[in-house]
Amino acid sequence: MRSKYLFVAVALFLAGLSGFAQRGQPIYKDPAFIDTVLQHHNAYRSALHLPALTWSADLASDALAWARNLAKIDKGQHDASVRGKEGENIWWGTAGAFSSGFMVDSWGNEKKEFVYGVFPDCKASRSAVVGHYTQMVWKNTTSVGCALVSNGKMDYLVCRYAAPGNIVGEKPY
């Protein structure tokens, strides 16, 4: 009987790992990862009555290339080469410690510092960061693709967006 409970506990634990980068294997095609990323993005869009984002395998492939680069250099930084072509959000943190839903929600939680207005003057204070949130809810953005890569120390989540948002002088929605 005791081994039955242990088996159930282990199975539940492993099920909860969905969306974690595991043993350096990139995650970008996994259906559970895709579903989680889309659900979390679309919850913020739904709250504003904006159309749901769809998954883009092409954007996920682009995100994978950059996430691999970040894991290799062990540093979080934006890819300047996609500016104006694709939107981009990046997140990094301790390997295996955070779910992909938590990562996406860290961007969405910037909503508390957001004040509706034209970008970039749509934040509660000068030091507030809202650009990840505004990219998620940008009115013209229709698709997203993400990849999660670990280097054993850090996990790097990169999401790419089309059409890109955060256009200076425009309102997000």
Side-chain angles (χ1 to χ4, degrees), residues 25 47 49 51 54 67 74 121 125 127 139 165:
Q25 296 301 312
H49 307 288
T54 60
D74 199 23
D121 302 320
S125 68
S127 62
K139 63 187 171 220

Side-chain angles (χ1 to χ4, degrees), residues 61-111:
S61 179
D62 292 350
L64 176 62
W66 190 247
R68 282 183 167 149
N69 178 64
L70 296 179
K72 181 179 177 182
I73 65 172
D74 199 23
K75 183 177 176 182
Q77 63 186 40
H78 285 284
D79 181 356
S81 73
V82 299
R83 196 166 287 141
K85 300 173 195 163
E86 296 175 351
E88 179 181 67
N89 279 347
I90 60 172
W91 182 99
W92 64 98
T94 304
F98 303 94
S99 70
S100 55
F102 177 91
M103 296 172 192
V104 173
D105 286 344
S106 70
W107 300 327
N109 288 335
E110 293 176 2
K111 179 180 181 179

Side-chain angles (χ1 to χ4, degrees), residues 148-159:
L148 181 60
V149 175
S150 181
N151 64 13
K153 295 185 298 180
M154 301 293 278
D155 287 341
Y156 294 88
L157 175 68
V158 175
C159 288

